[in-house]
Amino acid sequence: MAQSIPTILNHISIGTNDLAKALEFYDAVMATIGATRQLDIPNIAVAYGKRFPEFWVQRPLDGQEATCANGGHYSFHATSKEEVHSFYDAAIASGGTGDGEPGPRPMYGPNYYGAFVRDLDGHKIEANLLTLD
């Protein structure tokens, strides 16, 4: 029997208006948390992940302008505070905008440590370290 993937989400897709620039941004940012390109559909989409495609960056399939969700954000697991800082620093260095510097977020739990940025298209992304102890 095939082993089930231990997550409730299969994947998430976000749209971009400049695929080449978005991929430069996400190549740098995803590397900080150990994610790589898992699938590349030239001039259409790239999927990042650690073992399978989880986070897609793509041109909108309807040909319209990409927009971001008001109130939505996309959070990625980090394995250390250093990864959270690296994620934030890589995003800023790649043209992202800070939206919450790395640090504790006790409102989300006593062991929550995260950082928030906006990507080149305005999507809010986050890296966080959440320990259960």
Side-chain angles (χ1 to χ4, degrees):
M1 182 174 191
Q3 184 178 6
S4 177
I5 297 170
T7 181
I8 63 166
L9 295 174
N10 182 280
H11 68 273
I12 294 171
S13 302
I14 62 167
T16 182
N17 292 306
D18 189 330
L19 187 61
K21 285 185 180 179
L23 295 180
E24 284 180 31
F25 177 89
Y26 279 106
D27 283 346
V29 172
M30 292 289 113
T32 68
I33 59 168
T36 60
R37 289 186 183 197
Q38 298 291 307
L39 188 60
D40 190 337
I41 303 171
N43 298 313
I44 296 173
V46 166
Y48 295 89
K50 291 186 177 182
R51 295 178 53 201
F52 57 91
E54 298 174 74
F55 181 73
W56 290 78
V57 179
Q58 64 191 41
R59 297 180 190 277
L61 296 178
D62 65 4
Q64 300 297 312
E65 182 178 349
T67 59
C68 53
N70 185 17
H73 82 277
Y74 310 96
S75 182
F76 302 97
H77 289 290
T79 60
S80 68
K81 290 180 180 179
E82 292 77 22
E83 276 191 6
V84 173
H85 284 263
S86 293
F87 179 95
Y88 184 85
D89 293 343
I92 299 302
S94 299
T97 305
D99 204 26
E101 292 185 3
R105 300 292 193 281
M107 68 286 250
Y108 301 136
N111 299 317
Y112 198 102
Y113 191 91
F116 298 87
V117 295
R118 299 272 179 174
D119 75 2
L120 305 177
D121 289 289
H123 299 286
K124 189 173 188 176
I125 60 173
E126 170 192 5
N128 73 68
L129 173 65
L130 176 61
T131 57
L132 300 177
D133 52 342

